[in-house]
Each structure stands twice: as structure tokens, then as C-alpha cells.
Amino acid sequence: MAFITPKPQCEKVEKRPGCIQSALNILGDKWSPLLIGQLVSEPRTFGDLEVMLVGISPRTLSARLDKLTRENIIVRKQYNAHPPRFKYHLTEKGDDLEKILRTMADWGERYHE
Amino acid sequence: MAFITPKPQCEKVEKRPGCIQSALNILGDKWSPLLIGQLVSEPRTFGDLEVMLVGISPRTLSARLDKLTRENIIVRKQYNAHPPRFKYHLTEKGDDLEKILRTMADWGERYHE
DNA sequence: TTACAAAGTATAGTGAAAGGAACTATACTA
DNA sequence: TAGTATAGTTCCTTTCACTATACTTTGTAA
């Protein structure tokens, strides 16, 4: 009988394997946590974000926004018809990431430096 | 007067900039969250971890253990003198990461698939 | 009709992280 | 003294996230 990589301690932290990975798939890159942090309770335009995320290239910002949209973390909403202008909003799923960011921030606050 | 990249919304989530980054510096790579999860309440040897983290190369495991040791997340303790045998334990700082992992797991549990 | 801004896209290239396979060092054991 | 186990190290290659910069498209204003 095959033993399918059981990771026996997995359920100590997560009920199903992959749950932590699915959060890290969203938060594990350089810019996404910062980007999501900027959208908490305040929708932003591409240009806003380009200014706030100092050092990001438009290519990377575009790629992050695409990925987060595909993952249903943010949505792009038109707020002006002529000229067409858009803002990115957090979805409920995205908004719930704030809990994780806060827990991280608390940990960082305690142990930073 | 210079305006030093203020990120005005930063304090909405984290009190000081960099706190989230410092947590992600530990948790943001492929293996560290899994590795730390395996050490919660149960010290492990190199060989244990090599078996549990299915697919990890000894090179990568060694590099992760080094980094987490330098960051004071884990400690290497000798539990047998002859032959010399070691186990890796979480420090208090490392143990506190469990809160973050749990929050991530909760989020993943809710939104996975 | 030129000129300017917002919101991206296109092209080209770099660097760090991770993978794979083989190898080493030390200590015990038959 | 040959073999086995633990605990790594070394070398080489690949992948991919991110950077830099130029360009395009759509619409407004002078």
C-alpha cells in the first residue's frame, strides 16, 4: 500500500495541506503585500499605485494587478466614462488578507531589528 | 525638504514600514513555511526534515536551515555526543510565527479552490 | 494640429533562488 | 576492514521574478 507523502504534522497548523501555500501564492512575492496594503479601505488608480510603490516598474505593476485580478483578490472598476478611468478595489477575499498582513506586522513589530 | 517615500497608508496595516517585509523575508520562500510547520512542538533532525519535505534537495534544506538559524528562528541542538547527532528546534521568535501560519491556513481554508 | 496625461504594453536583459546529481566527513558496527 | 548511517557540501544548470526603458492608445485641452 502506497504511502502518499503524508506530512503527518501538517494538520497541526493547517487542516488541509496547501492552505498556507495558497495564501503564500498571493502574498509571497515582492510587491503584492505592499500593493494590497495600499488598497485597504481605499481604491487606487494605476498611477496612484505607481507613485506609492516606489521603485516598481509599470510592467511589474501591470503583472501584479493582472494576477491579483485573476485570483479574485482585486477588481478593476471604471469610475469615469469620459475619459475612461479605473480604480482597483479589494474584493471580500482580498480584504480578508488584511488579517494575515496584520499578524505579520505584529510579529515584525515585536522582532524587527 | 525631501519627502522620503512616505507610503501614507502604511500605518493602516503596519505601524512601522518594513514589519511585514521582515516576516516575509522569513516566510516568503518556497520551503521555510513548511519547514517551520514541521518543527512546531517537535524538534527534527536533518534527515527527518529531508523525508518530510518531499522533493527538497539537501542543498536547499541546508541553505534554509542556515538562514533560519542566522535569523534566530531555529537553533541546532546536539542531543547525542557519540555519534554527534543534532535536532533543530524553534526559538520563541520562531514559535511565534505559528500565529501567522495559522492565520494563513484559515484564509486558505476559506478561499481555497 | 500640436501637445500632454493616464493607463498601460513591448522588448530585452539581469540576478537570486531552486533543482539535480554526485561527493565528502565522521562515527558506529558486523 | 568493509559497510552503513547521519549530516551535510560542491558543482553545474535552469527557472522566473523583477528591472529599465521605450513605445502605444485613448482622450482632453490650448
Side-chain angles (χ1 to χ4, degrees):
Chain A
M1 182 180 171
F3 207 47
I4 309 163
T5 65
K7 297 178 192 143
Q9 305 315 113
C10 161
E11 63 282 359
K12 277 189 179 173
V13 173
E14 53 183 354
K15 286 165 200 155
R16 283 184 297 162
C19 288
I20 288 175
Q21 286 303 325
S22 77
L24 279 168
N25 178 41
I26 305 301
L27 296 174
D29 60 51
K30 181 172 174 183
W31 293 106
S32 293
L34 252 58
L35 200 166
I36 291 163
Q38 298 302 337
L39 294 182
V40 170
S41 72
E42 193 75 17
R44 307 280 184 191
T45 65
F46 191 97
D48 290 341
L49 292 167
E50 215 173 356
V51 169
M52 305 182 105
L53 305 179
V54 179
I56 198 171
S57 70
R59 177 186 164 81
T60 302
L61 178 54
S62 183
R64 280 316 109 230
L65 291 170
D66 279 359
K67 180 182 176 189
L68 294 175
T69 301
R70 280 197 312 279
E71 298 282 355
N72 203 29
I73 304 298
I74 60 176
V75 279
R76 181 171 178 267
K77 288 185 184 168
Q78 188 158 356
Y79 67 95
N80 194 47
H82 288 282
R85 292 286 180 262
F86 306 92
K87 287 190 179 181
Y88 294 90
H89 299 242
L90 287 181
T91 61
E92 191 198 335
K93 183 179 177 185
D95 203 56
D96 274 359
L97 288 169
E98 199 198 335
K99 291 190 196 75
I100 301 177
L101 295 179
R102 256 180 224 289
T103 315
M104 285 183 175
D106 289 347
W107 184 91
E109 184 75 15
R110 175 144 23 147
Y111 292 109
H112 199 222
E113 280 128 349
Chain B
M1 183 179 172
F3 207 46
I4 309 165
T5 65
K7 296 175 191 146
Q9 304 316 112
C10 158
E11 62 281 358
K12 278 190 180 174
V13 173
E14 54 182 353
K15 286 165 199 156
R16 285 184 296 164
C19 288
I20 289 175
Q21 287 302 326
S22 77
L24 279 168
N25 178 40
I26 305 300
L27 297 175
D29 59 52
K30 181 171 175 184
W31 292 105
S32 293
L34 252 58
L35 201 166
I36 292 163
Q38 298 301 338
L39 295 181
V40 170
S41 72
E42 194 76 17
R44 308 279 184 191
T45 65
F46 191 97
D48 291 342
L49 292 167
E50 213 173 356
V51 170
M52 303 182 107
L53 306 178
V54 180
I56 198 171
S57 71
R59 171 189 163 73
T60 302
L61 178 54
S62 182
R64 279 317 108 227
L65 291 170
D66 281 358
K67 180 183 176 188
L68 294 174
T69 301
R70 281 198 312 279
E71 298 282 354
N72 203 29
I73 305 298
I74 61 178
V75 279
R76 181 173 179 265
K77 288 186 185 169
Q78 188 158 357
Y79 68 95
N80 193 47
H82 290 281
R85 292 288 180 261
F86 307 93
K87 286 190 178 180
Y88 294 90
H89 299 242
L90 287 181
T91 61
E92 191 198 335
K93 183 179 177 185
D95 203 57
D96 274 359
L97 287 170
E98 199 198 336
K99 292 191 195 75
I100 300 177
L101 295 179
R102 256 180 224 289
T103 315
M104 284 182 175
D106 290 347
W107 185 91
E109 184 74 16
R110 174 143 24 145
Y111 292 109
H112 200 220
E113 279 129 349

